[in-house]
Amino acid sequence: MSEKDNSRMAQNFIHDLIDEDIAPGGRYEGKRVHTRFPPEPNGYLHIGHAKAIYVDFGTAQKYNGLCNLRMDDTNPTKEDVEFVDAIEEDIRWLGYDWEDRFYYASDYFEQMYQYAEELIRAGKAYVCQLSPEEFRQMRGDVNVPARSPYRDRPVEESLDLFRRMRAGEFPNGAMTLRAKIDLASGNFNMRDPVIYRINHMAHHRTGEAWCIYPMYDFAHPIEDALEGITHSLCTLEFEDHRPLYDWVIDNISCPNKPRQIEFARLGIDHTVMSKRKLRALVEGGYVSGWDDPRMPTICGLRRRGYTPASIRNFSEANGVSKAASTVEYAFLEHCLREDLDATAARAMAVLRPIPLTITNYPEGQSETFQIENHPKKPEMGTREVSFSRHLFIEADDFMEEPIKKYKRLSPGGLECRLKGAYIIRCTGCVKDEAGNVVEVLAEYDPNSRGGDPADGRKIKGAALHWVDAVTAVEARVRLYDNLFDDAAPDAAGKDFLACLNPNSLEELEGCKLEASLASAKAPASFQFLRLGYFCVDSKDSKPGALVFNRSVSLKDGFKKR
Ligand code: ATP
Ligand code: MG
């Protein structure tokens, strides 16, 4: 990690509130700041979660506090064990550690049930038998309070029914447990919200033990309280639920009173971020999986070549506030580029090769150059790159009839540098019967070893990357573009699948790489000169059958603006 990554999170409004809370006389004076990250294990984590992880774990770090990891698995219908492992792996990879504080919300089901009974006994909750249809009819509107004919049923009756709900005597939907708060509240979350419902469905951890499950708004504050959380940091959509969060905490005999603070979600253009939509992309076969390098999932970004530091820096740079905003995808790329520029070794690869023959270089002869791995980091060393009469260059580095200002190879055109090797001048080309150029011809200046002419003359052509055809290794290389053409595929009411970019993946076969890359293994990243940053694909690349992904191009679309 660079120094920047280790620095503490910049002060934000959440920290201002925490400072007040832990100051003398504050609500948590003398207490250690304790946060949690509570993913629902129903999908893989995405870059939005990375922001929440950064806020939760980063805030704990800033205060020398603690952050728990808690699987929020109160909803039995959707969770899947597969996701739990992936979530842990992703958070660790991002560089955070929950130590031994790994919890499941479902571990608290019994305790939650006891708190629910406590509310009933205190006359603060009742069993309601409105059907879903009647419930809707009686919810009222801004001017009309909600109604429930069961609101004033005797405590004993509610207690009996609730116990029988638990015992499995009633079918789904027959009744609910509702908190008795305020049917006339302007905040509909407070209009006697349902806190338990019947659901005859097995849970991935508790099995058949329960057929009633707590609602999120009731369960979450209890989970926080039981774990000794001081600050429950969450996204803005929970702001209207905070009065209910506080109500639950204030009306049960819990050991500790956490404080909920909301911040704005992260949105990124040209992408979708809800798990439902990401799942649809996977299940519909629009991408190769959750870890497709075009996905905004953490595992997709990792496979694309994103580094933990680039993601943390992205989160830090975006800041934390209450104002919703959409960040440019180009900014995420910018953060990756900055990190890889500093850390990735340089190498040469030719993606769309055409043979280049150095006609005055003897057949069968070869030599090697020591080329530095990083122009600004001598400590990264050098590597051996071979050179011979037969090379490959990019097909578009040659034009038989050059357009204006073309600075690369054309017959009799400008002298060009073969990066790190020699100066050459193109002398012609060879064509097949159809008239396609199949080979470029050039002569080299023997007095320019290393790439600089002995007489100091100015070389006006471009510096070209190249690969020795004799030692080159082949690879497949995948180039990526935005998964969605549309800048806002996530916007309400939009058919996001119709916004998919049909050209988001281009796979090139027969690319030629310098020999030093033959043993490259994931998660290695390189800057291929003039082409961008590329990583070894963690799934498909094998020795002898290399696959590289372009993580990001060199051109910075963000800085330019
Ligand atoms: P999604 O809507 O993508 O399915 P979610 O909020 O349902 O996400 P959870 O697993 O419940 O997913 O999220 C865990 C935590 O991550 C929550 O505290 C949630 O607020 C936070 N989170 C989810 N998406 C974002 C986002 N785009 N930006 C910041 N935080 C997010
Ligand atoms: Mg959620």
Side-chain angles (χ1 to χ4, degrees):
M1 273 190 223
S2 69
E3 219 169 87
K4 201 167 154 194
D5 311 321
N6 280 329
S7 70
R8 290 180 162 216
M9 213 174 159
Q11 184 79 9
N12 61 46
F13 80 97
I14 294 175
H15 304 141
D16 294 342
L17 298 174
I18 293 178
D19 287 342
E20 285 169 22
D21 289 345
I22 59 177
R27 61 198 281 177
Y28 301 125
E29 179 182 354
K31 276 192 89 169
R32 191 170 188 189
V33 170
H34 201 153
T35 61
R36 86 287 171 267
F37 174 65
E40 191 179 346
N42 62 348
Y44 285 74
L45 297 182
H46 53 59
I47 182 77
H49 293 119
K51 170 160 193 172
I53 290 166
Y54 174 73
V55 171
D56 294 332
F57 281 92
T59 296
Q61 269 172 6
K62 182 180 175 94
Y63 287 92
N64 201 12
L66 302 170
C67 181
N68 294 0
L69 174 58
R70 179 199 311 145
M71 297 298 147
D72 211 332
D73 61 350
T74 50
N75 184 352
T77 56
K78 292 182 282 180
E79 282 102 15
D80 201 320
V81 200
E82 159 196 7
F83 300 124
V84 174
D85 296 339
I87 288 170
E88 291 187 69
E89 182 188 356
D90 287 348
I91 300 173
R92 281 218 177 83
W93 178 77
L94 283 171
Y96 298 104
D97 187 3
W98 53 91
E99 296 169 317
D100 57 351
R101 296 177 311 280
F102 177 88
Y103 302 106
Y104 286 96
S106 56
D107 287 345
Y108 312 133
F109 278 166
E110 181 62 36
Q111 187 64 56
M112 290 172 189
Y113 176 87
Q114 295 303 332
Y115 284 135
E117 280 208 356
E118 196 179 300
L119 286 178
I120 297 172
R121 281 194 297 272
K124 291 173 180 170
Y126 59 97
V127 169
C128 178
Q129 279 164 273
L130 290 178
S131 69
E133 180 52 34
E134 292 167 326
F135 195 100
R136 262 192 301 279
Q137 282 163 4
M138 296 193 192
R139 69 196 283 224
D141 58 34
V142 197
N143 304 309
V144 180
R147 285 177 295 130
S148 169
Y150 303 100
R151 193 170 207 250
D152 294 316
R153 86 186 326 158
V155 165
E156 282 314 316
E157 201 176 295
S158 278
L159 207 51
D160 175 59
L161 286 170
F162 189 51
R163 288 173 180 166
R164 289 165 61 197
M165 277 168 68
R166 174 177 184 169
E169 288 187 28
F170 310 111
N172 290 355
M175 53 191 74
T176 58
L177 184 69
R178 296 176 70 175
K180 195 169 181 176
I181 307 179
D182 179 3
L183 287 176
S185 176
N187 181 343
F188 277 53
N189 296 309
M190 300 295 272
R191 290 191 169 188
D192 288 12
V194 171
I195 57 176
Y196 262 93
R197 76 208 144 108
I198 302 173
N199 189 353
H200 289 271
M201 178 174 276
H203 183 279
H204 81 111
R205 293 194 74 247
T206 57
E208 307 278 337
W210 295 89
C211 62
I212 57 171
Y213 291 96
M215 302 300 285
Y216 181 89
D217 283 338
F218 178 67
H220 204 79
I222 294 176
E223 295 155 22
D224 286 341
L226 292 176
E227 290 177 16
I229 302 303
T230 56
H231 295 88
S232 182
L233 312 177
C234 64
T235 37
L236 225 44
E237 70 270 23
F238 294 105
E239 196 169 32
D240 290 345
H241 298 245
R242 190 184 343 126
L244 178 51
Y245 184 101
D246 290 340
W247 185 91
V248 170
I249 292 300
D250 289 340
N251 286 282
I252 60 175
S253 59
C254 63
N256 161 59
K257 298 202 181 304
R259 173 180 187 179
Q260 175 178 304
I261 303 173
E262 312 85 15
F263 60 92
R265 273 183 173 254
L266 170 72
I268 302 184
D269 66 5
H270 293 285
T271 192
V272 296
M273 208 96 96
S274 96
K275 275 181 277 194
R276 184 180 62 75
K277 291 178 184 169
L278 296 175
R279 181 192 293 270
L281 290 174
V282 174
E283 289 176 354
Y286 298 98
V287 293
S288 64
W290 287 95
D291 65 350
D292 186 297
R294 292 166 290 179
M295 290 281 272
T297 49
I298 304 299
C299 54
L301 293 168
R302 175 163 66 231
R303 192 167 164 200
R304 177 76 171 263
Y306 274 79
T307 58
S310 65
I311 294 175
R312 282 195 306 269
N313 292 342
F314 173 73
S315 300
E316 173 68 33
N318 286 327
V320 181
S321 78
K322 281 215 180 251
S325 70
T326 302
V327 179
E328 285 174 65
Y329 194 85
F331 183 62
L332 179 60
E333 296 192 315
H334 168 81
C335 293
L336 177 62
R337 202 178 279 114
E338 288 223 308
D339 189 41
L340 291 177
D341 178 40
T343 57
R346 274 50 175 171
M348 290 197 285
V350 175
L351 299 190
R352 295 176 176 89
I354 188 167
L356 167 69
T357 305
I358 310 294
T359 54
N360 59 340
Y361 195 91
E363 187 76 63
Q365 185 176 315
S366 78
E367 63 190 289
T368 56
F369 294 94
Q370 286 297 323
I371 299 186
E372 57 198 354
N373 286 327
H374 195 290
K376 283 172 242 152
K377 294 198 164 165
E379 68 273 18
M380 285 176 70
T382 60
R383 67 192 187 285
E384 207 170 77
V385 178
S386 73
F387 181 90
S388 74
R389 177 182 169 96
H390 300 287
L391 311 174
F392 288 111
I393 57 166
E394 294 293 343
D396 69 358
D397 279 341
F398 171 78
M399 275 187 108
E400 191 178 13
E401 283 162 32
I403 51 171
K404 242 181 146 178
K405 294 195 178 162
Y406 189 71
K407 290 229 157 61
R408 294 169 274 167
L409 300 175
S410 56
L414 299 176
E415 280 189 306
C416 289
R417 247 186 203 94
L418 289 180
K419 186 81 187 168
Y422 286 108
I423 309 290
I424 60 167
R425 190 191 295 275
C426 178
T427 53
C429 63
V430 178
K431 293 184 190 173
D432 63 11
E433 280 139 40
N436 300 312
V437 177
V438 293
E439 185 183 353
V440 178
L441 306 173
E443 288 181 356
Y444 85 116
D445 170 2
N447 294 317
S448 64
R449 194 169 198 281
D452 288 315
D455 61 4
R457 70 185 183 279
K458 199 166 160 12
I459 304 304
K460 299 207 180 100
L464 309 178
H465 60 277
W466 53 276
V467 168
D468 181 5
V470 178
T471 58
V473 290
E474 289 223 343
R476 273 190 289 153
V477 176
R478 295 166 180 159
L479 305 179
Y480 298 101
D481 196 356
N482 289 333
L483 188 51
F484 296 93
D485 295 314
D486 194 301
D490 225 355
K494 223 178 243 184
D495 175 6
F496 72 104
L497 292 175
C499 301
L500 280 164
N501 173 6
N503 303 313
S504 58
L505 168 63
E506 182 181 7
E507 184 160 308
L508 303 174
E509 306 263 352
C511 305
K512 307 288 184 181
L513 314 185
E514 64 171 68
S516 73
L517 294 169
S519 55
K521 287 193 188 67
S525 280
F526 302 89
Q527 185 196 93
F528 289 171
L529 289 181
R530 299 171 70 216
L531 298 173
Y533 295 94
F534 294 74
C535 68
V536 182
D537 187 82
S538 55
K539 253 192 183 160
D540 300 332
S541 190
K542 308 258 157 14
L546 297 170
V547 182
F548 279 82
N549 300 325
R550 178 149 74 186
S551 311
V552 66
S553 64
L554 287 177
K555 220 191 281 155
D556 197 328
F558 184 74
K559 258 191 184 157
K560 223 169 55 196
R561 278 191 291 283

